[in-house]
Amino acid sequence: MDIQHVGIVGAGQMGNGIAHVFALAGFDVLLTDVSAEAMSKALGLIDKNLERQVGKGVISAEQKAEAMARIKTTTTLADLGQTDLVIEAATERETIKQAIFEDLLPHLKPTTILASNTSSISITRLGSRTDRPEKFIGFHFMNPVPVMQLVELIRGIATDEETFQACHAVVEKLGKTSAAAEDFPAFIVNRILMPMINEAIYTLYEGVGSVESIDTSMKLGANHPMGPLELADFIGLDTCLAIMNVLHDGLADTKYRPCPLLTKYVEAGWLGRKTQRGFYDYRGEKPVPTR
């Protein structure tokens, strides 16, 4: 399969990062979102992030200009019909993802590969709701996409070898490294990472340590570049909760039960950096712990 033209559904934090790396690698990118404002904001962020790479000497000004020229936008899903690969990067809610695929399917070429950037939801189940489960795959980028080198490739039970190899080749062209993961809840990275974050929240909830002491302990005691509570804010507490619920429901093990404090923060709308409050308050000059 010769993949040249890529469609990306969702212009949020992950979608704009995925568009960035594909355009920089020479792919033609069509980015879509229900909100024209979101797409305008995404283009601004991509431009800013590319400029940062220029400033660091990672790419040239000419490469930046060429990458920006390769990104087109649309608010109409049907416009993605002639793309070779479509990557869904919408919010981590299965009903929303299924609705996107249902709206998209009538417009696609028979050869188009469908992929989801889901961080936890069953690829087999998502693929079974389409007309091409053999051409459906999990294409999970890490955040922030331009910086992180790993891409998890997750086969559903029906995903064929040709689709997997085509996506593996795409990851190589992006200059990233792929890890093949089986289709179990949360795959590899989040199966390991999210329970650690959840346990850090339990440690806070039970009064074992403060926000600062927990993050400092893991940074200096385990050599983590970012503390688990700071990382949770960066990922988004709603996303963390969604993944823990997938693990808890999918594996039926109480060790994956989301911490009640995580649920409370999400109910309050304190989702981390994207809402300016989570385990830290980001509204001032310096982040301040909220507990």
Side-chain angles (χ1 to χ4, degrees), residues 27-273:
F27 293 90
D28 293 321
V29 175
L30 185 56
L31 179 64
T32 184
D33 198 285
V34 292
S35 166
E37 181 183 353
M39 284 190 294
S40 177
K41 182 180 178 182
L43 288 175
L45 284 170
I46 294 169
D47 185 84
K48 179 181 177 181
N49 290 333
L50 285 167
E51 187 60 37
R52 184 180 292 115
Q53 289 180 303
V54 172
K56 292 180 178 179
V58 177
I59 62 173
S60 66
E62 183 180 5
Q63 286 175 301
K64 175 198 168 183
E66 289 172 351
M68 288 301 299
R70 292 188 190 106
I71 303 173
K72 309 298 181 191
T73 63
T74 179
T75 56
T76 306
L77 272 179
D79 291 342
L80 273 61
Q82 295 306 304
T83 55
D84 305 312
L85 167 67
V86 176
I87 301 175
E88 169 273 316
T91 188
E92 193 69 357
R93 289 175 57 189
E94 188 167 347
T95 53
I96 291 175
K97 294 179 185 296
Q98 287 175 344
I100 288 169
F101 291 128
E102 287 171 6
D103 290 345
L104 188 58
L105 286 172
H107 310 288
L108 296 179
K109 299 184 298 183
T111 56
T112 299
I113 294 174
L114 273 179
S116 177
N117 184 58
T118 178
S119 52
S120 61
I121 298 169
S122 168
I123 298 303
T124 297
R125 193 164 61 241
L126 287 173
S128 72
R129 299 286 296 269
T130 74
D131 63 356
R132 60 195 71 203
E134 72 287 348
K135 294 187 181 302
F136 195 99
I137 193 168
F139 213 120
H140 181 213
F141 288 87
M142 305 297 121
N143 185 34
V145 180
V147 176
M148 302 297 281
Q149 289 301 302
L150 182 72
V151 179
E152 284 183 313
L153 290 179
I154 306 102
R155 288 183 176 97
I157 195 170
T159 308
D160 63 28
E161 185 63 19
E162 185 181 19
T163 296
F164 179 84
Q165 292 300 333
C167 291
H168 176 73
V170 167
V171 174
E172 288 190 331
K173 188 173 179 181
L174 295 176
K176 296 187 181 293
T177 300
S178 64
E182 293 301 318
D183 188 21
F184 284 91
F187 320 129
I188 297 172
V189 173
N190 283 320
R191 172 75 177 267
I192 298 167
L193 176 64
M194 284 301 160
M196 184 199 74
I197 288 175
N198 194 52
E199 192 63 26
I201 300 170
Y202 266 115
T203 305
L204 177 66
Y205 178 60
E206 294 168 1
V208 179
S210 66
V211 169
E212 285 186 313
S213 63
I214 291 166
D215 278 352
T216 299
S217 294
M218 293 307 293
K219 284 190 285 187
L220 301 184
N223 205 28
H224 290 191
M226 188 182 293
L229 301 176
E230 182 185 2
L231 179 57
D233 277 356
F234 181 75
I235 293 167
L237 302 190
D238 53 338
T239 300
C240 293
L241 179 59
I243 295 170
M244 287 309 302
N245 280 327
V246 167
L247 280 166
H248 190 227
D249 295 343
L251 298 173
D253 192 323
T254 55
K255 72 180 180 180
Y256 298 114
R257 183 173 69 95
C259 179
L261 184 61
L262 174 60
T263 302
K264 184 180 292 187
Y265 269 64
V266 172
E267 288 175 345
W270 291 18
L271 308 181
R273 284 186 174 272

